[in-house]
Amino acid sequence: QVQLVESGGGLVQAGDSLRLSCTVSGRTERTFSNYAMAWFRQAPGKEREFVGAIDWGGGEKIYQDSAKGRFTISRDDTRKTVYLQMNSLKPEDTAVYYCASDRSLWRRALSPNGDEYEYWGQGTQVTVSS
């Protein structure tokens, strides 16, 4: 089994920054560095939506349009951790944020589709007040 644990959420004011972390553990044969990682979020009463993803090499990243220019995803394979740096936060960023690990080994093209991710964390709450 693979476990993903997010941390770093909290209550902040509009314009503030937060850095979320997601650390992966379990199944030692499933090498963290060989899989793309992604962040999703879900606001109350809304569907889960894609935020951003980073490929297994760390060289390619994609973002949802509302995250571009404000959010940065990165990874540290030595720590088996993926990060989401969120700047200039807005009230509409309020949601539970989830990290997810790709279903496919060495995926060539990143996907914003949640079905392409096999393992998920339990989520961390981000609340942005106006």
Side-chain angles (χ1 to χ4, degrees):
Q1 190 60 284
V2 176
Q3 293 84 39
L4 284 69
V5 178
E6 302 97 334
S7 61
L11 172 63
V12 297
Q13 293 186 332
D16 285 351
S17 298
L18 275 177
R19 188 177 80 155
L20 306 183
S21 301
C22 170
T23 300
V24 180
S25 62
R27 281 187 64 186
T28 55
E29 70 273 20
R30 194 181 195 275
T31 304
F32 174 81
S33 60
N34 292 340
Y35 293 87
M37 297 292 295
W39 287 94
F40 291 78
R41 67 186 182 185
Q42 187 167 21
K46 294 188 176 181
E47 296 287 318
R48 182 184 65 196
E49 65 175 0
F50 172 78
V51 175
I54 184 168
D55 74 347
W56 56 272
E60 181 185 356
K61 304 172 188 180
I62 60 172
Y63 297 95
Q64 181 206 69
D65 284 347
S66 67
K68 291 178 181 178
R70 298 189 301 127
F71 294 4
T72 302
I73 190 169
S74 61
R75 64 188 297 157
D76 183 342
D77 290 342
T78 63
R79 298 178 183 272
K80 298 183 180 180
T81 299
V82 63
Y83 302 98
L84 182 67
Q85 176 68 43
M86 305 186 294
N87 299 329
S88 303
L89 283 161
K90 305 175 182 180
E92 51 264 44
D93 293 320
T94 295
V96 177
Y97 283 70
Y98 300 91
C99 66
S101 179
D102 201 334
R103 183 178 304 280
S104 300
L105 180 68
W106 299 325
R107 181 185 293 278
R108 289 190 175 186
L110 289 170
S111 173
N113 184 346
D115 292 340
E116 300 293 347
Y117 296 87
E118 183 172 8
Y119 297 101
W120 294 76
Q122 82 292 344
T124 186
Q125 177 71 46
V126 173
T127 303
V128 184
S129 64
S130 58

